[in-house]
Amino acid sequence: NFAVCGSGNNSHLTFTSDGATTYVILVEGFSSASGDYALAVSCVTPECGSITSAIWTGSINSDWETAGNWQDNVSPGLSINAAVTIPMAMPNYPVLTAGQELYINECSTVTIDIKASLTVNSNAIVSNDGMVVNDGTTTFESDAMGSAYIGSGIGVFMGDFTVERYIPAKRAYRQLGSPVTTSTPISENWQLDTHITGPTGNSDGFDFTQTGNPSMYIYDNVVYDYVQMANTNATNLFPGTMYHTLIRGDRTTDLSNNTATPSVTTLRATGELTAENEGSKTISVNVPEQRFIAAGNPFQSQVDMNAVLTTNATNISPNFYWVWDPTLGARGAYTAVIASTGTASAGDSDANQYLQAGQAGWVQTAGAGQSSVSFTQASKNTPGPETSVFSTSSELTSQGQLRLSLYESSALANNETATDGLLILFDTEGNNDVDANDAPNITNLDENFATSNNGVLLSIETRATPLDEEEIQLEINTYRNTNYTIVAEGISMQEATAFLYDNFTNIYTEIPQSGTVNYDYSVDSETSGSIDASRFKIVFSANVLSVGTYDMNEVLLYPNPTNIGKFYLNIPLGMDDLEVTIYNVLGVSLYHETGLTGGNRVTINTGTGSRLSLGTYFVKLSSQGKTITKKLIIN
């Protein structure tokens, strides 16, 4: 007994062989030119039993769950056990809205006829163990609130589907992945929603600019380099590939003005959901030494990178992955992510363990040799609470963290993002060698901030419990501006106290055990010491907080800011050797006095005749070899 559904290359057959068991055969293609038919069987699902029909009418509105929108008020609901048809020429077509999850079981089909449509809004989910046949238009939308997702399933998606990737308004490179193999070139997909420029103008599909600078690259894991897009009229999008693309905004953006106000845009691509139909996507490459591998998310879903790195992976380091975060700094920056917890090296980054739909990222091989990483249905993560809780294995006991973020000072004042950041973790069983628990730093286009462990730059470094007089060398390079601020945060630090040491100004700034401190500094390209990449380090002292029985913080500096032409220092009793030095932001000493005694209020003039004009200064206080630095603002 046969039942035929669909038409042409999207046909499928259901039949019973024994009167009890129902089978479904998917017909991927056939030809009758010679009078013979050739069938390609993609899947056979037994024991389906009786399958009812549900036909969309759209008589009332676009709500899938409204019974009156279905013929004879027979709604399949959100958990489908039926052969569902959405015909053409209906007054309304179904829209799945945020919070709805459509599940298609293994015996069911959803067919969207030619000129009919199905729309999946952001934060709605379709999970398919059966079959979706799209002869019309099916769109998975994306907006500022999120994206529509395809959940885990073993089903088949026949036809071409449209997926969207919302891009907020910021002129920056994005590292993108495509969930579809497009049936048409890039010029008829993403390029309909943003400019893509190239050296030959629009003759190869590119948008014309006077400079001819390219704005789209493909990362080639074999060549181990970014390869300039050759032709948008003749190149399709493929899942698993990383597309490094400058997004200026939508196509109304003025290409003649690099400072044109950026706009929101939503990139659209239409094609086959290849990874869904194949069930997984494996990215494989044979590397001559330890390398980074680029990988585009092949699914229209968030993917748990911890699952990706620890399941069906070959010669892949399991602890970290990396993403380009376009929100960091002026043009974006790389951030490393601890895959098991979602903790990012850059404190201002929202990156976590979930690679987003339409996003590409990086993994690292464990060494030379054949290496592969697989995205599977089991690695999908449909939207839910995202964890950022720091944890380690049961063998380790956390001794705290240090997070350092580098800002342009004006960006920090305007509540903008850091240009880069790093994270240092301390554990009782950690070690100070570079190993699999450390995340290498990927060099940014602009400012780069990392720890330097024997010349190896790291974005996340895991170390043993810090000891007295231990040092951690930092590296900052590629300065683009003059004034910067390092925001240093201690997170449940124990044992020795950490200081940020500026080798150019000889200033030590204590980092709270739990809390933040800001250190402002300036650079001058003509002064080598100020731009020295190794200018800063972290140093530890076991007893640095005490001077006798006194905390250096007990030296009060007020008013601050001051606009009265002076400020005061209150020195506690028993502190009889206080030394005061005042530096400007370039590290030049402008005031120095020693032998200040406890129990006194010292007045320091900043008005007429002093060397302290309006601006920001650093007041270094020292006693019995212990030091603290406080920032002073004179208005």
Side-chain angles (χ1 to χ4, degrees), residues 544-554 572-575 624:
V544 74
L545 289 180
S546 63
V547 178
T549 60
Y550 294 98
D551 189 321
M552 288 294 291
N553 280 307
E554 292 185 20
L573 286 169
M575 187 180 291
Q624 297 183 19

Side-chain angles (χ1 to χ4, degrees), residues 155-433:
V156 175
F157 292 84
M158 296 184 61
D160 284 348
F161 297 78
T162 298
V163 296
E164 297 182 349
R165 176 68 271 169
Y166 172 85
I167 308 290
K170 182 178 181 180
R171 178 191 171 96
Y173 272 96
R174 313 274 169 164
Q175 295 192 331
L176 304 174
S178 173
V180 296
T181 301
T182 57
S183 52
T184 53
I186 293 170
S187 60
E188 298 179 36
N189 289 277
W190 286 351
Q191 199 171 356
L192 295 177
D193 304 301
T194 193
H195 293 111
I196 299 177
T197 59
T200 57
N202 58 17
S203 61
D204 288 325
F206 297 113
D207 293 295
F208 177 80
T209 59
Q210 291 293 331
T211 63
N213 289 333
S215 67
M216 188 174 191
Y217 301 80
I218 293 174
Y219 192 85
D220 188 321
N221 285 319
V222 176
V223 176
Y224 199 51
D225 201 358
Y226 292 97
V227 178
Q228 183 180 309
M229 178 61 62
N231 190 320
T232 63
N233 274 340
T235 307
N236 292 22
L237 296 171
F238 296 94
T241 302
M242 171 183 283
Y243 298 93
H244 184 71
T245 308
L246 177 63
I247 305 296
R248 302 170 173 91
D250 64 22
R251 291 192 62 83
T252 66
T253 304
D254 182 1
L255 286 179
S256 67
N257 182 7
N258 285 342
T259 61
T261 302
S263 59
V264 165
T265 190
T266 300
L267 305 183
R268 296 168 180 84
T270 300
E272 179 191 351
L273 291 163
T274 312
E276 296 295 344
N277 293 333
E278 295 176 354
S280 64
K281 176 66 178 179
T282 298
I283 298 166
S284 181
V285 61
N286 196 334
V287 298
E289 70 271 329
Q290 187 178 42
R291 282 185 173 180
F292 289 102
I293 296 175
N297 183 351
F299 292 128
Q300 184 61 22
S301 172
Q302 295 180 17
V303 172
D304 185 343
M305 289 302 294
N306 188 51
V308 170
L309 294 177
T310 56
T311 308
N312 300 322
T314 301
N315 193 37
I316 299 294
S317 299
N319 296 327
F320 307 100
Y321 85 106
W322 293 256
V323 293
W324 172 264
D325 188 337
T327 69
L328 296 175
R331 297 194 293 175
Y334 291 101
T335 184
V337 181
I338 302 174
S340 62
T341 66
T343 303
S345 60
D348 283 339
S349 175
D350 288 334
N352 53 40
Q353 70 263 43
Y354 303 116
L355 190 65
Q356 303 301 296
Q359 184 182 28
W362 302 83
V363 299
Q364 189 183 39
T365 68
Q370 190 65 40
S371 308
S372 64
V373 62
S374 295
F375 295 82
T376 66
Q377 296 289 330
S379 66
K380 285 184 176 180
N381 178 77
T382 50
E386 297 177 341
T387 180
S388 59
V389 177
F390 173 76
S391 62
T392 57
S393 71
S394 58
E395 296 179 355
L396 301 179
T397 301
S398 173
Q399 295 294 293
Q401 307 174 29
L402 290 177
R403 181 184 295 281
L404 280 73
S405 302
L406 178 66
Y407 291 84
E408 292 181 28
S409 296
S410 60
L412 179 61
N414 293 325
N415 293 317
E416 297 172 4
T417 60
T419 62
D420 201 3
L422 62 90
L423 181 64
I424 307 171
L425 311 175
F426 300 95
D427 288 292
T428 53
E429 300 299 322
N431 68 77
N432 295 345
D433 296 327

Side-chain angles (χ1 to χ4, degrees), residues 64-84:
W64 182 282
E65 295 186 272
T66 298
N69 284 323
W70 297 90
Q71 184 174 295
D72 299 325
N73 291 324
V74 179
S75 169
L78 290 175
S79 184
I80 296 177
N81 182 27
V84 175

Side-chain angles (χ1 to χ4, degrees), residues 32 39 56 96 116 164-165 182 275 417 540 554 605 628:
S32 58
L39 304 183
W56 174 267
L96 295 171
E164 297 182 349
R165 176 68 271 169
T182 57
T417 60
F540 294 90
E554 292 185 20
N605 291 319
I628 191 171

Side-chain angles (χ1 to χ4, degrees), residues 1-4 13-23:
N1 298 315
F2 286 89
V4 182
L13 309 176
T14 63
F15 70 95
T16 60
S17 60
D18 56 11
T21 303
T22 299
Y23 296 86

Side-chain angles (χ1 to χ4, degrees), residues 28 91 156 195 203 217 269 366 409 454 530 539 611 617 623 628:
E28 290 187 329
V156 175
H195 293 111
S203 61
Y217 301 80
S409 296
N454 290 321
S530 76
V539 297
R611 299 181 63 189
Y617 298 87
S623 179
I628 191 171

